[in-house]
Amino acid sequence: MDPLEKAREVLRQYPLCDSCLGRLFAAMGYGVENSERGRAIKTLLHMRLVYDYRNGIDATEDLKALGRVHAPTRRFLASNGIGMEEARCYICGGLLRDVEKYAEGVAKALEQIEFGTFQIGSVVPKDVLEREREIVAKFGIETGESIKHEINRRIGRAVGELLKRPANKERPDVVATVSLVDGTIKVARNPLLLLGRYIKLSRVVSQGKPVPGALKTVEEVLDPVRSRFGGPALVLHAAGREDFDVRMLGNGRPAVVEIKEPARYRGDLSGLTTDWVILSPLKPGTRNDVREMKAKSKTSIKLYRAVALSDRPVSAEDLARLKALEGAVVVQRTPRRIKRLNPRARRRRMVYNIEVYQVADRVLELFIRCQGGLYVKEFVTGDGGRTQPSVAETLGASLEVVELDVLDVE
Ligand SMILES: [Zn+2]
């Protein structure tokens, strides 16, 4: 339907301010603010009705309907002896007239944070949203923009002018939510995500939670990185995991350092070197980077070094049999030491290569190249038959892993 006719129909039943009228036709031309579009529609409708009126068509009722929300029409009617009062906008009740007034408060609330990008959100009174829905449904409006969208955009633009940078919907560091119900402004600080790799030199530092035998966690060691950006907590997301007594060497393991609610979004991105953990230089990333890294770690290839102690001397013939394990698919029931997973679950992972050096009669050094997710300790020991095939079973000996290192994460 012709937008002018549609507007006439809507205004017959509902007084709407320039913004709320213009917003019903927002998709019919971008780059124009709704209030401007609404005013233009009203001006055109006014001209049409005055034209009809002067040509003897009775347009009085439509003129009165428009007059409720359009001053020139009220003046025209007054000059023809019809007095009219201005009516409040049915949808917003005047709320949209000056939403920009919140911009200063938002800018002030953001002042204490050193951030790069921001976004505006809003809480809009329920009855306003309901009245907007009512009109959109009743008149089959398909070209509208939501009132919330307009409010966020307009406050965002005004804040942007104050802060000299535009709002950013894609990757905001901070989100300021303005409540049009009670006028409060809440600021949410999004986490800062930093991509890097870490090397763990220690056998007493746990990658995950604190565990018996571990003196520290990697997160605790990385605390100086947290303090560079402020904020209450640092969380490490890694591509796979190693036990606390396993060193992570080589190029290190890909990881994302998450700083919760940072006070600063810009800061020192250099790495960190400690006796326990070495962190590579960092670069900012996104949630998507975390997802991708975690997905990739399930299939990426890992190289391990294990030192194993045998219960009996191992012969050269025994060792030669280990070549048969290259290319094997290892089936593993969940190791008994891992309680959080279903003990009956079965995991299948490939072993690509095995190199063995006999250090002493009963001491072996194994280099195992395998698919990510293989329980390597259990692959060596056999875990009481729960992992098959295994190094211990193939040698016909009982093995204990005394040292394990991750040498490479491809
Ligand atoms: Zn309105």
Side-chain angles (χ1 to χ4, degrees), residues 17 20 89 91-93 96:
C17 70
C20 289
C89 173
I91 295 180
C92 76
L96 283 189

Side-chain angles (χ1 to χ4, degrees), residues 316-368:
E317 294 81 66
D318 292 335
L319 292 182
R321 285 202 299 277
L322 291 182
K323 277 289 158 197
L325 292 175
E326 294 192 339
V329 174
V330 178
V331 182
Q332 301 188 291
R333 275 161 70 196
T334 305
R336 267 163 298 193
R337 64 188 168 90
I338 299 177
K339 296 198 184 74
R340 63 193 169 88
L341 296 177
N342 174 10
R344 302 169 71 90
R346 276 167 207 277
R347 214 178 243 207
R348 288 180 166 74
R349 292 291 191 276
M350 282 280 282
V351 169
Y352 302 109
N353 308 98
I354 300 187
E355 295 293 334
V356 196
Y357 297 95
Q358 191 155 21
V359 181
D361 272 2
R362 302 198 299 124
V363 181
L364 304 176
E365 184 180 28
L366 299 120
F367 293 87
I368 301 165

